[in-house]
Amino acid sequence: MAKVYNFSAGPAVLPHAVLAEAQSELLDWHGSGMSVMEMSHRGKEFMEIIHDAEHDLRELMHIPAGYKVLFLQGGASLQFAMVPLNLLGDKDSVDIVNTGHWSKLAIKETKRYAKVNVAASSEDRNFSYIPEESSWQRDPNAAYLHYTSNETIGGLQFPYIPSEQHGVPLVCDMSSDFLSREIDVSRFGMIYAGAQKNIGPSGLTVLVIREDLLGKARADIPTMLNYQVHADADSMYNTPGTYPIYIAGLVFKWLKEQGGVKGIATRNEEKAGLLYHVIDSSGGFYSTHIEQPFRSKMNVVFKLKEEALDEIFLLEARKNGLAQLKGHRAVGGMRASIYNAMPIEGVKSLVNFMQDFARQYG
Ligand SMILES: Cc1ncc(COP(=O)(O)O)c(C=O)c1O
């Protein structure tokens, strides 16, 4: 099999060691004679798997007491509705920061249930920056403030955690930079992330939620959308996505071996640094419109100087074992997603290719 480096934005590359381990125990998990896919979610084997996954995640993120970890389904997109349905309580408005595609979808869905105050937006300059926090127009009566720490499509990332004001809890869609850098969980009311970038396969959504935010769900919502129900049942109200949870558990163990979040964050900085350096030193052959402090370390979005070169760039890249570099159709150009599991060798290979390509076509 030819070596391929996969730069997909998600579902995305998983650690090779994790896939190999899953393969080796696919038919027989730890001498049980069963595949994880075949096990009862309430049996002692799977209980051990989910317990270890939660334990390792808590350790990796230093999740303090007073927070629940939930393993749910429906993707991050379902959270766009579940968050307001669960967290509005007796309030009727929500603050949201609009930094691009995913924030906009969160706004759209939230508007079905609440008044939305767009506390800040960078749409005026094509989502190339994060508005200065002091300029945000916050509503002191908002139920929570929602933001997207990393805009996967636009390639725009918050370099900091916003401050909590007026006791309004922070809710963060951390789908595409979860576990990529150290964060202080205690600053958040709730964090959620679709798994298919830094956690595992699609079909799993991970939530970290402060316990005092549970129990505020609207009475008329479906049982399956109620956080309290899932929290009370330790994510076992119904059949959870057992196999994605198992793979997530392997990814968490792998991450611990990489020096934890701190270790991987250093490597993520290095990988992103290599790519942005090639872009910045290409004499305009490659460019990114994202302002320096807000450039994503997970999704490096860039354009070639002529759109006509896009197809040939992608074809040549693929021939060189560099896959899934096409940018999202909403922004065009290229996107190199360099999540935790992308080895530095993959980024170096891309960097060399980009330099050669620029020499040939520049
Ligand atoms: C930041 C962000 N939020 C939400 C989503 C939607 O996730 P899902 O497809 O799991 O619903 C994505 C998907 O890529 C994303 O990148």
Side-chain angles (χ1 to χ4, degrees), residues 335-356:
R335 170 174 52 174
S337 296
I338 49 174
Y339 299 120
N340 289 352
M342 170 57 66
I344 188 130
E345 294 74 29
V347 174
K348 286 185 178 161
S349 183
L350 174 58
V351 158
N352 289 336
F353 168 76
M354 285 171 70
Q355 283 169 333
D356 287 349

Side-chain angles (χ1 to χ4, degrees), residues 9 74-78 80 102 148 150-152 173 175-176 194-197:
S77 301
L78 185 57
F80 296 159
W102 295 109
T148 310
N150 183 64
E151 285 283 354
T152 323
D173 174 359
S175 293
S176 50
Q196 62 273 20
K197 292 115 177 17

Side-chain angles (χ1 to χ4, degrees), residues 143-220:
Y144 56 87
L145 179 136
H146 180 286
Y147 78 105
T148 310
S149 53
N150 183 64
E151 285 283 354
T152 323
I153 292 176
L156 181 73
Q157 187 175 29
F158 269 80
Y160 60 88
I161 299 171
S163 61
E164 188 189 289
Q165 285 180 16
H166 316 290
V168 175
L170 284 187
V171 173
C172 183
D173 174 359
M174 218 176 269
S175 293
S176 50
D177 61 359
F178 195 71
L179 290 172
S180 70
R181 56 182 175 178
E182 289 187 294
I183 53 151
D184 177 357
V185 173
S186 72
R187 303 267 307 269
F188 295 89
M190 182 185 145
I191 295 167
Y192 64 93
Q196 62 273 20
K197 292 115 177 17
N198 270 338
I199 302 174
S202 55
L204 168 67
T205 316
V206 176
L207 265 70
V208 180
I209 180 165
R210 217 171 61 203
E211 283 168 14
D212 64 288
L213 297 179
L214 295 167
K216 292 148 87 85
R218 261 169 60 163
D220 59 349

Side-chain angles (χ1 to χ4, degrees), residues 35 140 201 205 220 235 243 259 278 296 304 317 354 360:
S35 172
T205 316
D220 59 349
S235 307
Y243 204 74
V278 173
S296 171
L304 275 63
M354 285 171 70
Q360 198 177 341

Side-chain angles (χ1 to χ4, degrees), residues 3-7 320-324 342-343 345-347 349-350:
K3 177 85 205 140
V4 164
Y5 290 114
N6 170 14
F7 293 91
N320 283 273
L322 305 165
Q324 312 210 59
M342 170 57 66
E345 294 74 29
V347 174
S349 183
L350 174 58

